[in-house]
Structure formats: structure tokens, C-alpha cells
Amino acid sequence: RDERDSAPYVPKGVVVADDDDWADDHRPKTPWPDSVIYELHVRGFTMRHPGIPERLRGTYAGLAHPAAVEHLVRLGVTAVELLPVHQFAHEDHLLRRGLRNYWGYNSIGYFAPHAAYAASGSRGRQVGEFKRMVRALHAAGIEVILDVVYNHTAEGGELGPTLSLRGIDNRGYYRLQGDARRYTDYTGCGNTLHVVQPNVLRLITDSLRYWVTEMGVDGFRFDLAAALARSMHDVDMLSPFLAVIAQDPVLRRVKLIAEPWDVGSGGYQVGAFPPLWAEWNDRYRDAVRDFWRGALPDVRDLGYRLSGSSDLYAWGGRRPYASVNFITAHDGFTLRDLVSYEQKHNEANGEGNRDGTGDNRSWNCGTEGESDDPAVRTLRQRQLRNLLTTLLLSTGVPMLVAGDEMGRTQRGNNNAYCQDNATSWIDWSLLDDTADPGWRALTDLCSRLLALRRTHPVLRSHAFFSGRPQSADGLRDLAWFSPRGTEMTEADWYAPARTLGMYLSGRDIPQRDPKGDPVTDDSFLAVLHGGHRPQRFTLPGPPWADAYDLLVDTSREDQHTAPGTRRRAGARITVPPRTVLLLRAVPPRGGDAGETAQEPGAEVRR
């Protein structure tokens, strides 16, 4: 026990007089099915951007700068998800090693924008700067979602510093073990806030409402949300926290995203959160990574993930947009590192490479780390195109990580939480004319796919597919095809397979436009081939299509469709190794459908 008084050394709160009513702000209010989330770090996104003045780099003002906003608009994302911007503290063990907490998952001030991200000063001026950033993003049609950490605080375990809540009421704010001295730790960070306690619940909900009503944000992603949903010990979907959110007139109307797990017993809760909530879907991440590295035993799980994960979310009124689909996040390899490293390389963190997960589900394409071999580089860029294309064609809400669209690398560090340097900051020179043209081409592909998604409602379905014939001709809203050009059977789903065809019909979309008229769209066939040899694939005939127009071929760096790319139905095409093809179906004049087994993703609407 340390009896010294820490009061002179603890940062103080600043009260800001502010009567801003946000009358000049227009929230985008993007519907969930139309959302595309872009996870970014305020500092890391702007620190090396050549179009942002140096004095604004690393700040809220830098993110509000037209050069930063232009990239987001050109890319086509609808929301930025900011890594923690609540005031946070740096751990002593990092400072002793000359490092800092970069990610910010160490909150100490739930009502304060992190002062170090303000270019205008830290005596309350960061509040106005944050609001101006939100306004600038809203004006560009981009929502602001905060990654919030209410499951623990920067005070750590029983040997951590007394900074705030511990000194006010240790028993009242934290979950304690039986000896009332040590903490119950469901977070892996030394402590867990006791959200069942009324004063803790009020602190959190007051903070959330403050950020919505006073700071203008549009939603939240809750770090380790299962810890917030624990009642006495177990995760409880009727817990006080979830109940209060559900009935709150402000909070129930914003975007709510759960990281649906914690590190405690029974903490893995993917698919279990109630209908108001969307969730990070790590089962999507794992299935897509495994397919493209050749480790998926069959394609059944992939079918569910591509079509909205109905096996996880088709209950209690939930929809496909409950699934936030992602392949990478801030925690783990970048997309480029996912195809360049099979082992973590976290030596710079000073923990003997013991930190960070060893389960990366990655494939280095034959060489560990960066390579000058043209064949390896070509294969890696093709794999990046495959991963991005798969993500952006999947039903659900896609989440991109800032820089993945241009080949950002952390040199194999999969836990860069303490790397506030060029390891984590986006290298905008990747888009220079002198850089590898493949990185700009990757960004262009990402933008093109997002434009396709924005244009075609069948690619962002509001409801789960039924998988049943929609009319007398036997056309289904969702159908799955083997390379033979026939619908997949039960045996096909459980057999080892490296090729999958997914047909999405735009003829019978179960939704209406703002005028109440039925929504119709083009139909598409996506062919995913993960094998290392070319694959012959027969294009399905009527009732699916009379012909197909090729829109995307990830075997090519240049994605501009050349003339003469129409293929007749029934033709046997050659799919290059490790390739995604996206084809638009030319509507048939008639035909019959055959019988097929029930497919993943084809659930009866409830």
C-alpha cells in the first residue's frame, strides 16, 4: 500500500461553458444496410499525410482537413470508427521502456476528448476542435462512431495508480474478489468496472448521452462488451446495462456495435446480443482467412458468412446487418501482413515477442516478410484483391481498417498497441506515382467495389435470403453452384472444395423504396476459387441467366473491364488460380430450376 498523496500529479478536469445546439449540423443517419465502416486512429491516419499541414497532423483538426476527408469520400465509406478518443493514460511499464499507449484502450476521462489529439490546446479547447471535426465529417456524409472502453479504466490492478474512481469509491466502482482488495478481471487489464452498481451504470450512460447530444457522434463500438453485460458473474442479455440502453430514448437510436466477448469464463457471445445491437463477427474473419489460405475443410461455413451469417443472427428480429464483417482490425496483422507473415514479429514491443496472438490464420505466400521476388509480390497483391473483394461482396456491414486499401504494413507486428511511430502510422507515399502501382490499383479496386455496393441493393440486403424459389420459373433469391454449373448438393457442402459460386437474384428483393414501390436490381454471380491451379467453371443457364458480363477479375491488377467480356450461359470458363470473378447476369427469357439441398444462408424469414 502506498500512502503518498497522488493529487498534485493527477490531471484535472476542465469545465467548458458551451451552449452549442448543433442547429447547423446535419447527421447523415445512414441506414445500417448501407453502412461501410472505416476503422481509423485519429493520430495514425493524419501524421504522415502530405496534404495536411504539419501543425494539424495527429489531431482532430487534421482529420477534419479537406485532404483527409477527400480520401474517405473518394473511397466511399459511410462512417469512421475512431479508436479510443476518451482521455486516457499511459502505463508506467511502457513509459519505462520509452514507449506509449498508442491505441488508447486505457480510459480515465469518459467525458473528455483526449487532449493530445487537439491542435488548438488542452484547456478545454479540444472540445470545440472535436465538434468541428464531427461537423466536417457530417458535411461529407460520413458518420462518426467512437470505440469506447467502459469495461475497465487506466487504474489497472490493485498495484496500479490511484487516478480517479479508485480514490472516490473503490468498492462501488470496481468488481472485487472476496478479500475486497484484489480485482475480478474479465478484461485482461487488471480491473473490471462493476456495471451492475447504479452509480457505475449512470456514469456510463451519462457519458454516452453526452457524446451523442453534446459532441454529435452517431454511435459506439463497445470494447469487450460481454464484460458490460455481466450481472453478478455470468454474461446476461437481460443485464441492467443492456436493459437501460434498450429503453433510453437517445441511445437506442444510435448505432450500437458490440465486441461480443471478454476474457472471462463464458465471455464469448458472438450472435447472442439483443436486436438493437450489431456485432463484430470474428467467425466471418476466420472463415474468409481460412478459405484464402487453403485451410477451410469445407465451404459450408463460408456460405453462411458470405450471405449474412443467418445461423448466428436470424433470431428475435435480427437482420443481416447485425453482422459487422471484417477480415482485419486494429488488433492483429494488417491486410498486407496477413499475406506476408505467418509468425508475429513483436520484438519492438519489448516483451520478448510473447505478446499478441499466435493464431493469425495467415499465409505468407512462400516467404516470411517483405520480398523482392516478383512472383511472391504478384501473388500477395492478388490475395489482397481476393480478400477485399470477398469482404465487400458479402452480405452484412463491411468494416475496413485504415490503410489496408493501400497496402499498409506493420512489418509483422500484430500487437502494435504501443507503437506510436511509423510502424502504426499510415504511409501515404504508397499512393505516390513512384511507388508500386499495385497499391494504387488496390485502392481503386476498393473504391470501385464500394461504388458497386452502393449502387446495387442486392449486395446490401435488408433481410436474410430465403433460398426458396420465388416464382414458377424456379429462380431463387440465393443459390449456390459447384464448378459443374449445377446447384450444390448436401454432399458438396461437406466435401473438400476450393471453388464456390454464389448467385444473388435482384428480381425479388424483399424491400420497398421510399415511395413504397418494390426494389429490383441486377442479378450477380460471384465465383470464388481458392485453388492454386486453374479451375473450369460452367456458367449456370436459365432460369439464372442467358449470359454473363464480367465486372471484376481479381487475377488482374487493372480492373477496368475490357470489351468483349460477355460469356454465354452454359459456357465453360477457366477461372485463374486464387481468383474472384464477379459477373452480372443477363436476364433469361425462361427456364426451369432443378431441386437442391438447403444451402447455408437460406433460412426461412422469421
Side-chain angles (χ1 to χ4, degrees):
R1 183 175 180 87
D2 191 338
E3 298 289 352
R4 290 176 295 174
D5 184 4
S6 63
Y9 310 101
V10 175
K12 305 303 188 290
V14 178
V15 178
V16 178
D18 188 6
D19 57 0
D20 192 341
D21 61 4
W22 290 87
D24 60 340
D25 180 68
H26 299 283
R27 294 176 185 260
K29 297 183 180 178
T30 306
W32 262 122
D34 302 340
S35 297
V36 179
I37 296 172
Y38 190 74
E39 187 193 46
L40 67 82
H41 190 288
V42 169
R43 182 169 167 83
F45 187 75
T46 60
M47 275 300 291
R48 304 176 71 183
H49 197 301
I52 299 175
E54 279 194 46
R55 65 183 180 82
L56 301 182
R57 293 177 187 174
T59 69
Y60 308 118
L63 183 54
H65 191 275
V69 176
E70 180 189 10
H71 180 78
L72 301 172
V73 172
R74 186 170 62 247
L75 195 59
V77 300
T78 70
V80 291
E81 183 176 299
L82 306 183
L83 266 68
V85 296
H86 289 167
Q87 184 69 40
F88 63 86
H90 302 282
E91 294 92 328
D92 181 67
H93 69 89
L94 291 179
L95 297 174
R96 290 178 184 275
R97 297 203 301 268
L99 301 170
R100 296 162 59 85
N101 188 315
Y102 170 68
W103 287 349
Y105 290 91
N106 213 34
S107 299
I108 200 62
Y110 288 137
F111 294 82
H114 190 59
Y117 298 161
S120 53
S122 62
R123 293 180 176 267
R125 292 182 289 271
Q126 61 266 45
V127 174
E129 184 175 327
F130 185 93
K131 291 181 177 183
R132 290 190 291 274
M133 176 198 72
V134 172
R135 278 188 167 87
L137 292 167
H138 282 179
I142 297 170
E143 294 184 306
V144 178
I145 298 171
L146 302 188
D147 193 337
V148 289
V149 188
Y150 294 113
N151 56 76
H152 74 279
T153 74
E155 294 186 293
E158 60 271 13
L159 301 180
T162 298
L163 300 175
S164 178
L165 303 180
R166 174 178 290 152
I168 297 170
D169 184 358
N170 192 47
R171 288 175 177 267
Y173 281 100
Y174 294 110
R175 290 180 179 267
L176 302 180
Q177 295 186 22
D179 60 7
R181 181 186 176 199
R182 292 176 176 82
Y183 291 89
T184 301
D185 184 8
Y186 294 121
T187 67
C189 299
N191 65 65
T192 307
L193 280 177
H194 202 345
V195 182
V196 176
Q197 297 283 4
N199 57 313
V200 181
L201 186 58
R202 180 178 179 180
L203 171 70
I204 293 172
T205 53
D206 282 355
S207 170
L208 291 169
R209 281 189 291 266
Y210 170 77
W211 287 93
V212 174
T213 60
E214 300 296 326
M215 303 296 276
V217 307
D218 305 285
F220 305 94
R221 177 265 186 189
F222 291 82
D223 180 64
L224 300 181
L228 300 173
R230 290 183 181 270
S231 291
M232 295 310 297
H233 299 289
D234 297 333
V235 178
D236 178 7
M237 292 305 157
L238 298 176
S239 67
F241 173 74
L242 295 178
V244 167
I245 295 291
Q247 60 81 40
D248 189 281
V250 172
L251 301 180
R252 70 189 315 275
R253 287 178 169 80
V254 301
K255 287 185 166 67
L256 302 170
I257 305 170
E259 183 183 34
W261 51 78
D262 63 22
V263 303
S265 175
Y268 186 76
Q269 295 289 325
V270 172
F273 273 72
L276 275 180
W277 291 75
E279 299 175 12
W280 273 23
N281 187 353
D282 67 331
R283 289 186 58 180
Y284 178 93
R285 174 200 66 196
D286 293 349
V288 173
R289 287 188 180 192
D290 282 348
F291 177 78
W292 287 113
R293 72 187 178 108
L296 200 65
D298 56 57
V299 291
R300 184 172 180 269
D301 195 44
L302 181 66
Y304 276 118
R305 305 307 145 230
L306 295 176
S307 57
S309 295
S310 60
D311 58 330
L312 299 176
Y313 301 112
W315 64 272
R318 303 190 83 183
R319 300 296 184 92
Y321 44 83
S323 178
V324 175
N325 299 330
F326 68 103
I327 297 171
T328 59
H330 65 276
D331 186 2
F333 281 151
T334 67
L335 200 67
R336 177 174 170 181
D337 289 355
L338 192 67
V339 301
S340 304
Y341 296 88
E342 292 187 9
Q343 306 297 326
K344 61 184 179 180
H345 297 270
N346 300 351
E347 291 80 6
N349 295 353
E351 300 177 40
N353 204 33
R354 295 184 300 274
D355 62 306
T357 181
D359 181 20
N360 295 293
R361 298 174 186 253
S362 58
W363 177 49
N364 63 18
C365 298
T367 302
E368 185 74 358
E370 294 299 311
S371 173
D372 293 327
D373 186 329
V376 172
R377 294 169 66 91
T378 297
L379 176 56
R380 287 176 175 174
Q381 291 195 355
R382 179 182 295 196
Q383 287 288 81
L384 290 178
R385 294 192 291 271
N386 290 334
L387 290 162
L388 275 177
T389 302
T390 303
L391 174 65
L392 298 180
L393 294 181
S394 298
T395 301
V397 177
M399 186 185 79
L400 298 162
V401 177
D404 274 354
E405 76 277 11
M406 63 182 82
R408 182 177 76 90
T409 177
Q410 293 178 170
R411 304 288 179 179
N413 191 322
N414 74 351
N415 189 36
Y417 79 103
C418 56
Q419 297 298 321
D420 187 4
N421 51 48
T423 298
S424 299
W425 303 340
I426 291 179
D427 180 6
W428 292 92
S429 70
L430 292 166
L431 298 181
D432 289 348
D433 294 335
T434 57
D436 185 334
W439 303 130
R440 181 174 288 279
L442 186 67
T443 306
D444 291 343
L445 172 63
C446 188
S447 180
R448 185 163 181 259
L449 288 167
L450 285 175
L452 270 172
R453 186 180 182 92
R454 187 166 57 250
T455 305
H456 294 286
V458 73
L459 298 178
R460 41 187 173 81
S461 178
H462 289 225
F464 288 110
F465 302 100
S466 72
R468 295 177 174 178
Q470 302 296 300
S471 57
D473 64 4
L475 186 72
R476 305 172 190 274
D477 58 356
L478 171 70
W480 303 95
F481 290 91
S482 71
R484 303 182 300 274
T486 58
E487 290 191 73
M488 292 181 66
T489 65
E490 188 77 11
D492 289 330
W493 285 112
Y494 288 95
R498 301 293 293 126
T499 310
L500 178 67
M502 177 178 68
Y503 181 94
L504 301 175
S505 171
R507 192 180 70 180
D508 300 292
I509 298 175
Q511 66 189 72
R512 302 269 175 171
D513 66 16
K515 295 181 179 179
D517 296 325
V519 174
T520 59
D521 193 10
D522 294 330
S523 299
F524 295 91
L525 175 67
V527 179
L528 289 77
H529 174 50
H532 65 282
R533 292 191 177 93
Q535 172 67 53
R536 300 285 282 174
F537 191 96
T538 300
L539 297 175
W544 315 105
D546 278 343
Y548 296 87
D549 293 326
L550 181 64
L551 301 182
V552 175
D553 176 357
T554 62
S555 69
R556 302 184 310 182
E557 182 178 298
D558 181 5
Q559 290 300 307
H560 296 291
T561 305
T565 56
R566 177 163 290 191
R567 306 287 191 271
R568 63 178 176 81
R572 293 186 71 203
I573 64 172
T574 299
V575 184
R578 299 190 176 94
T579 293
V580 180
L581 301 180
L582 178 66
L583 305 107
R584 180 164 47 207
V586 178
R589 289 181 292 273
D592 298 317
E595 294 298 319
T596 185
Q598 182 76 9
E599 309 92 343
E603 302 284 347
V604 178
R605 293 191 191 90
R606 305 181 183 186

